[in-house]
């Protein structure tokens, strides 16, 4: 035995390397059958898999140019990061964007910009930019709500995002006087740090469900009464990344905390089906909306990705006939993101935002009922120029998801579906979450929203207007084709948006329904 140990001790380091490589080669050729490359090219074949694994990082940091990546390129991410950190977000030496590219946006500036008077709300707060419409006012809801910010956090649930990410966002929207959409995972303690909240539920009715998985109005009323910061209810019909598809929450992922929040049993897989059980057609959905609004007193809206329009036409006709209807509609673009979705859905099902929204808006405009609805846009709109386009097309607010994630540290690693998010934003791994400081990250989200609103106001003033609701379709043009390189939005999408009533920013500031605790802070 001693002789054998002495023999091993006398083997040089390079011989150990050769032995290890020999063993790997034997394993590659004779023992493993799964990988053809490793079998045919033992040892060196492993480098192929290593490079493939780090390929996204190599492209992101070394190969791709500033405007090349998707879903958000380096310039877009850098603008969000700099805005969130209150750093210099300017660029020098002119744009490096191809301004002749298809769908490039041009905002027609006025010869004389809008001038802010000394007593104007924006003279003292250059980030003050509330929604020009009030949710629920037309339908006489008992608790109407005017969002105090035109940019807000989109539906992302606790479970999809980490606890510290949700907490950071809620504290951040309180700083920015915005609202926070809960997503369909239920109302968690992490949504309860003082910001306005829109409670969102889907087909699983998480947080407001009976034991058999059906909707419980009693639980919803109790939730609203217990949490007065809930300002509106949103019913999800579909979402941009996977419309018409449900999901499964594996029992192994259900902790006691998630079980309590979502009202689901421990240790059992939970199905989120494609269809609602509370209604099965448009007229039943309309009655469901009215039932919730009457019971809670809150504005009630719907969220959907847009494809076929026949049922939307039916909804609009019923709204004209009955005088009832949703108080707001959130339109999610097919380019929207989610924690996990099949590529076939994410790539091909539902229309991109500009096409889906324009189609839908015309349905309600043709019946002269757009003034009854607050239209919310969602789908990569978290940049001032894109928001100007959205408002010109008829949007009244925008929701941002991935942009909000990036403001608190997301690096677009695109591993949300693996539970290995390196920034701790989209994972339940406690160690990875520990890198998030909610106090710091909330300041960054709040600053991103404020910077966004400041620049959006400046673009609005440059176009000669006081508020973005005044944008017309003819104020924004997009590159269409080589024959007629640019067209205004009204000629591109073949409609003109309905004029939004607006009597000055001061009237919005004085509104008794204004959210964000702004008036309470001043009084």
């Amino acid at each position: 035995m001693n002789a054998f140990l002495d023999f091993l001790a006398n083997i040089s380091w390079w011989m150990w390397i050769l032995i290890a490589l020999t063993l790997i080669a034997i394993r590659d050729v004779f023992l493993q059958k799964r990988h053809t490359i490793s079998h045919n090219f033992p040892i060196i074949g492993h480098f192929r898999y290593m490079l493939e694994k780090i390929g996204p990082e190599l492209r992101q940091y070394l190969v791709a140019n500033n405007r090349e990546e998707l879903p958000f390129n380096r310039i877009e991410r850098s603008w969000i990061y700099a805005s969130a950190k209150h750093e210099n977000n300017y660029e020098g030496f002119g744009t490096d964007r191809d301004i002749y590219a298809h769908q490039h946006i041009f905002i027609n500036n006025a010869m004389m910009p809008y001038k802010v008077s000394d007593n104007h709300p924006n003279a003292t707060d250059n980030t003050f930019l509330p929604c020009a419409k009030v949710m629920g006012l037309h339908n006489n809801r008992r608790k109407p709500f005017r969002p105090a910010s035109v940019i807000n956090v989109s539906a992302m649930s606790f479970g999809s995002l980490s606890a510290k990410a949700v907490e950071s966002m809620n504290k951040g929207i309180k700083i920015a006087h915005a609202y926070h959409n809960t997503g369909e995972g239920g109302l968690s303690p992490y949504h309860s740090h003082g910001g306005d909240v829109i409670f969102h539920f889907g087909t699983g009715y998480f947080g407001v469900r009976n034991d058999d998985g059906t909707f419980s109005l009693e639980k919803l009323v109790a939730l609203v009464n217990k949490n007065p910061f809930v300002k509106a209810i949103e019913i999800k019909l579909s979402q941009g990344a996977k419309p018409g598809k449900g999901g499964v929450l594996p029992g192994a992922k259900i902790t006691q905390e998630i079980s309590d929040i979502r009202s689901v049993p421990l240790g059992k897989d939970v199905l989120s089906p494609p269809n609602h059980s509370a209604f099965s057609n448009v007229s039943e959905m309309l009655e469901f909306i009215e039932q919730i609004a009457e019971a809670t007193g809150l504005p009630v809206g719907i969220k959907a990705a847009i494809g076929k329009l026949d049922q939307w036409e039916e909804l609009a006709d019923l709204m004209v006939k009955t005088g009832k209807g949703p108080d707001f509609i959130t339109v999610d673009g097919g380019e929207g993101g989610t924690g996990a979705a099949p590529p076939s859905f994410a790539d091909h099902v539902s229309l991109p935002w500009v096409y889906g929204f324009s189609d839908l808006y015309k349905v309600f405009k043709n019946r002269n009922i757009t003034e009854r609805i607050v239209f919310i846009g969602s789908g990569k709109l978290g940049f001032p120029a894109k928001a100007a386009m959205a408002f010109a097309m008829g949007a009244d607010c925008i929701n941002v998801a991935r942009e909000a994630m990036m403001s608190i540290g997301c690096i677009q690693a695109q591993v949300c579906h693996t539970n290995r998010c390196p920034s701790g934003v989209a994972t339940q791994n406690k160690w990875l979450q520990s890198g998030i400081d909610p106090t710091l990250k909330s300041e960054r989200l709040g600053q991103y929203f404020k910077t966004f609103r400041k620049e959006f106001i400046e673009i609005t003033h440059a176009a000669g207007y006081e508020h973005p609701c005044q944008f017309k379709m003819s104020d924004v043009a997009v590159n269409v084709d080589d024959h007629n390189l640019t067209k205004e939005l009204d000629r591109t999408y073949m409609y003109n948006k309905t004029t939004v009533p607006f009597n000055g920013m001061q009237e919005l500031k004085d509104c008794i329904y204004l959210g964000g605790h702004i008036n309470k802070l001043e009084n």
Side-chain angles (χ1 to χ4, degrees), residues 67-142:
R67 299 285 185 182
E68 194 172 28
E69 294 174 89
L70 291 173
F72 294 89
N73 62 48
R74 188 178 290 115
I75 292 294
E76 291 170 330
R77 297 198 311 276
S78 296
W79 183 84
I80 293 173
Y81 296 148
S83 298
K85 297 174 184 177
H86 209 189
E87 296 175 348
N88 185 344
N89 63 1
Y90 285 26
E91 62 182 36
F93 210 64
T95 181
D96 63 355
R97 185 186 291 272
D98 180 5
I99 62 174
Y100 298 99
H102 182 66
Q103 288 292 319
H104 185 76
I105 299 168
F106 299 93
I107 298 166
N108 296 324
N109 59 296
M111 183 180 182
M112 301 291 179
Y114 175 82
K115 184 176 181 180
V116 177
S117 60
D118 292 340
N119 60 350
H120 192 280
N122 290 138
T124 54
D125 182 0
N126 61 3
T127 71
F128 178 71
L129 190 57
C131 179
K133 290 181 182 176
V134 180
M135 292 180 178
L137 194 60
H138 182 276
N139 289 321
N140 297 314
R141 309 302 188 201
R142 296 194 302 276

Side-chain angles (χ1 to χ4, degrees), residues 76-297:
E76 291 170 330
R77 297 198 311 276
S78 296
W79 183 84
I80 293 173
Y81 296 148
S83 298
K85 297 174 184 177
H86 209 189
E87 296 175 348
N88 185 344
N89 63 1
Y90 285 26
E91 62 182 36
F93 210 64
T95 181
D96 63 355
R97 185 186 291 272
D98 180 5
I99 62 174
Y100 298 99
H102 182 66
Q103 288 292 319
H104 185 76
I105 299 168
F106 299 93
I107 298 166
N108 296 324
N109 59 296
M111 183 180 182
M112 301 291 179
Y114 175 82
K115 184 176 181 180
V116 177
S117 60
D118 292 340
N119 60 350
H120 192 280
N122 290 138
T124 54
D125 182 0
N126 61 3
T127 71
F128 178 71
L129 190 57
C131 179
K133 290 181 182 176
V134 180
M135 292 180 178
L137 194 60
H138 182 276
N139 289 321
N140 297 314
R141 309 302 188 201
R142 296 194 302 276
K143 303 173 185 177
F145 172 55
R146 184 194 296 275
S149 172
V150 297
I151 180 172
N152 303 280
V153 173
S154 191
M156 296 181 286
S157 59
F158 167 59
S160 176
L161 298 189
S162 68
K164 286 194 174 182
V166 176
E167 179 183 344
S168 299
M169 288 183 182
N170 194 260
K171 290 180 176 178
I173 60 101
K174 182 181 179 181
I175 293 169
H177 308 301
Y179 68 68
H180 188 179
N181 192 307
T182 63
E184 64 178 314
L187 182 69
S188 74
Y190 312 108
H191 292 102
S192 309
H193 291 278
D196 289 342
V197 164
I198 289 184
F199 180 75
H200 167 114
F201 65 83
T203 58
Y205 307 116
F206 297 127
V208 289
R209 59 188 266 147
N210 295 310
D211 292 340
D212 62 357
T214 57
F215 174 73
S216 171
L217 182 61
E218 293 75 17
K219 287 187 177 180
L220 177 61
V221 172
L223 181 147
V224 169
N225 291 339
K226 183 180 179 182
N227 302 284
F229 52 82
V230 175
K231 302 296 184 182
I233 310 292
E234 183 175 78
I235 305 165
K236 188 186 85 169
L237 305 179
S238 59
Q239 67 187 77
K242 48 180 180 181
K245 180 174 175 57
V248 176
L249 182 63
K253 287 190 174 182
I254 301 175
T255 63
Q256 184 63 57
E257 184 178 38
I258 291 176
S259 172
D260 295 340
I261 292 167
R262 298 199 179 200
S263 302
V264 297
L266 273 171
K268 292 184 179 180
D269 292 350
V270 178
L271 175 67
S272 180
N275 301 96
H276 278 271
S277 60
F279 55 86
S280 59
N281 55 49
V282 175
S283 60
E284 289 179 2
M285 181 185 73
L286 201 59
E287 289 305 316
F288 184 62
I289 290 170
E290 293 301 315
Q291 181 186 29
I292 292 175
E294 178 61 29
T296 65

Side-chain angles (χ1 to χ4, degrees), residues 217-488:
L217 182 61
E218 293 75 17
K219 287 187 177 180
L220 177 61
V221 172
L223 181 147
V224 169
N225 291 339
K226 183 180 179 182
N227 302 284
F229 52 82
V230 175
K231 302 296 184 182
I233 310 292
E234 183 175 78
I235 305 165
K236 188 186 85 169
L237 305 179
S238 59
Q239 67 187 77
K242 48 180 180 181
K245 180 174 175 57
V248 176
L249 182 63
K253 287 190 174 182
I254 301 175
T255 63
Q256 184 63 57
E257 184 178 38
I258 291 176
S259 172
D260 295 340
I261 292 167
R262 298 199 179 200
S263 302
V264 297
L266 273 171
K268 292 184 179 180
D269 292 350
V270 178
L271 175 67
S272 180
N275 301 96
H276 278 271
S277 60
F279 55 86
S280 59
N281 55 49
V282 175
S283 60
E284 289 179 2
M285 181 185 73
L286 201 59
E287 289 305 316
F288 184 62
I289 290 170
E290 293 301 315
Q291 181 186 29
I292 292 175
E294 178 61 29
T296 65
L298 297 178
V300 181
I302 54 179
K303 174 183 177 178
I306 309 303
K308 295 180 179 180
L309 295 177
D310 51 345
Q311 291 174 321
W312 290 103
E313 300 268 2
E314 183 182 353
L315 172 62
D317 288 337
L318 281 172
M319 290 174 65
V320 172
K321 180 180 178 180
T322 65
K324 303 174 182 178
D327 299 295
F328 62 95
I329 297 176
T330 302
V331 177
D332 205 12
E335 64 270 61
T338 185
S344 54
F345 271 79
D347 295 346
H348 300 291
V349 184
S350 87
L351 293 170
W353 189 85
V354 289
Y355 303 140
F357 183 86
S358 59
D359 285 353
L360 182 73
Y361 188 87
K362 283 185 280 189
V363 169
F364 296 95
K365 176 179 168 54
N366 291 341
R367 293 161 177 79
N368 298 313
I369 55 174
T370 54
E371 74 281 355
R372 294 164 51 173
I373 306 164
V374 174
F375 289 98
I376 302 172
S378 177
K380 293 180 67 176
L381 299 175
F383 304 91
K386 288 186 176 180
M389 176 196 69
F391 272 69
M393 294 176 69
D396 300 297
C397 281
I398 65 166
N399 287 349
V400 294
R402 290 168 293 180
E403 297 94 318
M405 291 167 65
M406 284 188 277
S407 75
I408 65 168
C410 166
I411 62 170
Q412 192 172 280
Q414 296 179 273
V415 292
C416 311
H417 58 296
T418 67
N419 203 38
R420 297 196 304 269
C421 171
S423 61
V425 174
T427 178
Q428 298 308 305
N429 182 291
K430 297 296 184 183
W431 169 252
L432 295 173
Q433 285 187 57
S434 66
I436 297 178
D437 178 357
T439 301
L440 172 63
K441 299 302 185 181
S442 63
E443 291 284 348
R444 290 186 176 176
L445 182 135
Q447 187 58 52
Y448 161 55
F449 276 16
K450 289 181 178 181
T451 302
F452 173 94
R453 293 198 304 250
K454 173 181 176 292
E455 293 196 12
F456 194 14
I457 291 170
E458 291 170 347
I459 287 177
T460 302
H461 292 173
Y465 299 125
E466 183 181 4
H467 190 283
C469 74
Q470 297 172 284
F471 272 111
K472 301 180 180 67
M473 300 282 280
S474 56
D475 291 318
V476 181
V478 293
N479 286 342
V480 179
D481 54 45
D482 291 334
H483 176 64
N484 189 353
L485 191 60
T486 64
K487 282 186 181 180
E488 286 74 21

